[in-house]
Amino acid sequence: MDNTHTQELISLDGESLTAEAVFRASRDSAFVAISPSSREKMAASRDMLEAWVKEGRIMYGITTGFGPFVSTLIPPSYQEELQKNLIRSHAANVGPYFSKEETRAAMLLRLNAFAKGYSAIRLETADLLLAFLNKGIHPRIPQWGSVGASGDLNPSAHIALSLMGEGEVEYGGNVMTAEAALSAAHLTPVVFRAKEGLALINGTTMMTGVGVLQIADAWALVRTAEILTALAIEALKGSREPFQSFAHLAKPHPGQIASAANVDDCLDGSALAWDKEKLSAIQQNLRTLMNEKNEVVDSGISVQAAYTLRATPQILGAVRDALTYVTERLTTEMNSANDNPLFFTDRSTMFQGAHFHGQSVSLPLDVLAISFVEIGNLAERQLNRLLDPARSNGLSPFLARGRAGLRCGLEGAQYIATSLLAECRALAAPVSIQSISSNGENQDVVSLGLVAARKARDIKEKISYILAVLLFALSEALEEQKAEELSPVAGAVLRHVRMSIRAYDSDRHMSPLLETAKAIVASGSIVTVAEKTLGKKLA
């Protein structure tokens, strides 16, 4: 897979990598290069390191052992053996493997850290990792085993191991030895020299890579949730009043303002949702009834919907603001130098510190996990309101149409949302505070950042299923309305769903239908359909 001539170039300079570029390199296999200016900085830092090795300076992980072995001095003649031993001993992860896109994200972020010019890695070693990325050689990395303190040592060691021609990779759709893949791709395995093994594994590479890939999905999910909220308001004949833009300026959280605008835009053209004119007429009828009776009466009409519909700008807006924070922190991290030691040629000095520590990634990823759960909280309650005949404003019980009782409708589907939400709530407990000392008390405060990243990813998958059940239910609820009364967005979304899932007018095997609905949600196509219908991008 060499995409030199077929894909837009992503040039790494260590300063300007965006989440969108990570998606393109990881999911679309866009071609990647290291900028010329970065190559100059990388070469300069390498020259400084090699000069200092010749001078016999004591430098951590270069002329010393690692971690608790820092007091062991290593002669220059053992440099290659030292680095090789580091990689082999730390390629120790276990369990299921990371996906191809997660592995690609990790390799990309490691290269971008090198491009800053502080890691003192040889250009030929960085170029071999770059060739892996561009030719589609993907190291097989087990998921379990990183504590996220000196970065993601163990999972990153599996990448470094493959550069040595050891371990397993996936290449051309087949699993094979790294040695075989290197031969097939006409590449030569590297023999690591001073500091290179350490530079490859000492950093937040894996946790940040896995985390960044969740950001695109997170923003798509919150926009999807806003669109589905608009559809729920139509199906339940709710009000547009809670989404008026001027009112949200009185509580000006950016996410809340954007969320209200998105829902309101999606309700344009609806004859089902209450607008100002309808509300005015309803209020006049209530005043007339009250005056006629001159006593306390039950009108049977509510001028305020439940929080499920009315408070969505405040709920999803808070999620949006959290996602902004997570996006900013991970963007900073993926443009950071995060290994140790670092070499600053402009100062002729070396920095030995803890830039590898993952707390700045772990804590935001815990916030991301909580944000996913909040999307699920809202969706599950909206689903319940659609299915419960006591609260669905005239919809058929459990959307079983005219044969409720003989048909079960979406009874079984609701259990999926209930079960998954309970599981996600349990999973959302923060990982970033769960430090367990390791490495002979050297790593005595660890971030567990990769655990946080995997947890957020796993919660996202389950929340996507909850939104899928809601989408399925909404498509049935909208079928019970008059087509001409639907908003253009609701009509377009219903047609889009019906291209893959026919109306559920008779009970049938539900699992495949929900898997299809989940695929629709995960693809982000609901957002695309809404934006195309509106003729503009959602906030």
Side-chain angles (χ1 to χ4, degrees):
M1 181 188 64
D2 189 336
N3 297 310
T4 309
H5 304 296
T6 60
Q7 295 284 345
E8 179 184 350
L9 175 69
I10 295 172
S11 181
L12 301 179
D13 59 12
E15 307 291 338
S16 59
L17 186 63
T18 64
E20 190 272 337
V22 176
F23 309 146
R24 286 191 289 117
S26 302
R27 293 180 171 173
D28 302 330
S29 299
F31 187 77
V32 179
I34 299 172
S35 72
S37 61
S38 288
R39 287 181 172 276
E40 292 178 6
K41 291 187 290 184
M42 291 167 67
S45 69
R46 184 66 196 181
D47 288 345
M48 188 168 83
L49 178 147
E50 291 186 349
W52 287 5
V53 169
K54 290 179 181 178
E55 291 175 12
R57 295 198 188 190
I58 296 177
M59 298 175 284
Y60 172 75
I62 301 169
T63 55
T64 76
F66 304 104
F69 296 120
V70 65
S71 60
T72 302
L73 301 181
I74 309 296
S77 60
Y78 287 95
Q79 283 300 314
E80 292 179 4
E81 184 176 354
L82 176 68
Q83 300 300 313
K84 186 185 298 182
N85 288 342
L86 173 68
I87 300 307
R88 286 174 172 169
S89 65
H90 282 69
N93 262 24
V94 296
Y97 293 99
F98 283 108
S99 67
K100 180 182 79 172
E101 69 176 34
E102 290 167 335
T103 299
R104 291 183 63 80
M107 292 194 292
L108 179 76
L109 296 189
R110 196 76 233 123
L111 284 166
N112 197 52
F114 294 157
K116 293 189 76 70
Y118 303 128
S119 298
I121 194 167
R122 287 181 299 155
L123 283 171
E124 50 263 50
T125 302
D127 281 338
L128 181 59
L129 181 58
L130 186 65
F132 268 46
L133 195 62
N134 286 330
K135 290 179 178 291
I137 302 175
H138 304 126
R140 299 253 285 170
I141 311 171
Q143 295 190 29
W144 301 339
S146 174
V147 298
S150 286
D152 294 313
L153 295 174
N154 282 17
S156 298
H158 287 269
I159 297 175
L161 189 72
S162 66
L163 298 178
M164 294 165 53
E166 300 180 21
E168 285 188 336
V169 301
E170 182 181 334
Y171 179 52
N174 299 309
V175 175
M176 63 183 71
T177 65
E179 183 180 24
L182 283 159
S183 177
H186 307 292
L187 297 172
T188 303
V190 69
V191 176
F192 295 132
R193 295 182 184 170
K195 210 257 182 181
E196 292 193 296
L198 183 61
L200 280 158
I201 72 173
N202 198 206
T204 59
T205 293
M206 203 79 225
M207 67 178 80
T208 308
V210 174
V212 167
L213 290 175
Q214 309 317 309
I215 292 176
D217 296 336
W219 282 108
L221 283 183
V222 75
R223 292 183 178 103
T224 298
E226 289 161 352
I227 296 165
L228 298 187
T229 291
L231 270 56
I233 290 169
E234 291 198 65
L236 295 167
K237 299 180 176 63
S239 170
R240 293 182 69 173
E241 183 180 15
F243 307 97
Q244 297 177 81
S245 60
F246 75 89
H248 290 279
L249 297 177
K251 188 180 181 182
H253 294 289
Q256 178 179 321
I257 292 170
S259 189
N262 282 350
V263 175
D264 198 48
D265 284 346
C266 290
L267 287 169
D268 276 348
S270 172
L272 296 170
W274 300 358
D275 56 18
K276 290 181 180 179
E277 292 181 3
K278 285 185 179 180
L279 282 171
S280 178
I282 289 169
Q283 289 171 346
Q284 179 59 47
N285 290 338
L286 290 175
R287 284 196 299 270
T288 300
L289 179 64
M290 191 166 50
N291 291 335
E292 287 177 353
K293 297 288 185 180
N294 196 31
E295 60 185 33
V296 176
V297 295
D298 183 0
S299 68
I301 300 173
S302 173
V303 296
Q304 280 201 150
Y307 292 178
T308 308
L309 304 179
R310 176 163 45 112
T312 50
Q314 291 78 10
I315 296 168
L316 293 178
V319 170
R320 280 178 162 269
D321 289 339
L323 295 185
T324 297
Y325 158 69
V326 176
T327 302
E328 289 173 350
R329 296 284 58 77
L330 266 64
T331 299
T332 296
E333 185 65 27
M334 68 189 189
N335 285 293
S336 296
N338 47 46
D339 58 294
N340 178 61
L342 298 174
F343 292 82
F344 291 81
T345 56
D346 57 335
R347 295 174 176 267
S348 297
T349 191
M350 177 181 66
F351 172 77
Q352 297 181 114
H355 282 5
F356 48 67
H357 202 283
Q359 201 68 27
S360 57
V361 178
S362 183
L363 198 154
L365 289 177
D366 275 341
V367 173
L368 178 61
I370 293 169
S371 300
F372 282 135
V373 176
E374 191 59 20
I375 293 173
N377 280 335
L378 178 63
E380 188 276 336
R381 289 292 82 197
Q382 291 174 338
L383 174 68
N384 185 69
R385 192 159 288 273
L386 288 167
L387 301 183
D388 184 350
R391 293 169 177 79
S392 65
N393 204 7
L395 294 173
S396 63
F398 293 93
L399 300 173
R401 307 285 179 89
R403 309 188 76 188
L406 175 60
R407 286 189 61 213
C408 295
L410 272 67
E411 276 187 309
Q414 185 176 16
Y415 302 143
I416 305 305
T418 305
S419 171
L420 290 178
L421 183 59
E423 189 172 348
C424 288
R425 286 174 176 175
L427 289 172
V431 172
S432 57
I433 60 172
Q434 305 293 341
S435 177
I436 300 175
S437 181
S438 187
N439 197 232
E441 297 296 323
N442 173 51
Q443 298 183 16
D444 56 351
V445 181
V446 302
S447 75
L448 298 169
L450 186 52
V451 180
R454 291 191 292 103
K455 180 192 69 172
R457 177 200 63 196
D458 295 346
I459 290 175
K460 177 203 72 181
E461 286 298 304
K462 293 176 173 63
I463 296 302
S464 296
Y465 275 107
I466 296 174
L467 288 180
V469 178
L470 177 59
L471 174 63
F472 190 97
L474 283 167
S475 68
E476 293 305 306
L478 295 176
E479 291 280 7
E480 297 189 20
Q481 315 303 323
K482 294 179 181 178
E484 63 272 16
E485 293 185 340
L486 298 178
S487 68
V489 168
V493 170
L494 180 58
R495 289 189 296 273
H496 180 66
V497 172
R498 288 291 172 256
M499 291 173 63
S500 304
I501 307 172
R502 66 179 174 85
Y504 195 68
D505 49 12
S506 62
D507 288 348
R508 58 187 189 269
H509 186 191
M510 179 66 79
S511 292
L513 306 179
L514 296 181
E515 291 290 351
T516 301
K518 193 266 185 180
I520 294 172
V521 168
S523 72
S525 62
I526 296 298
V527 178
T528 302
V529 167
E531 290 179 338
K532 183 176 180 181
T533 303
L534 292 170
K536 66 177 183 180
K537 291 285 187 181
L538 293 172

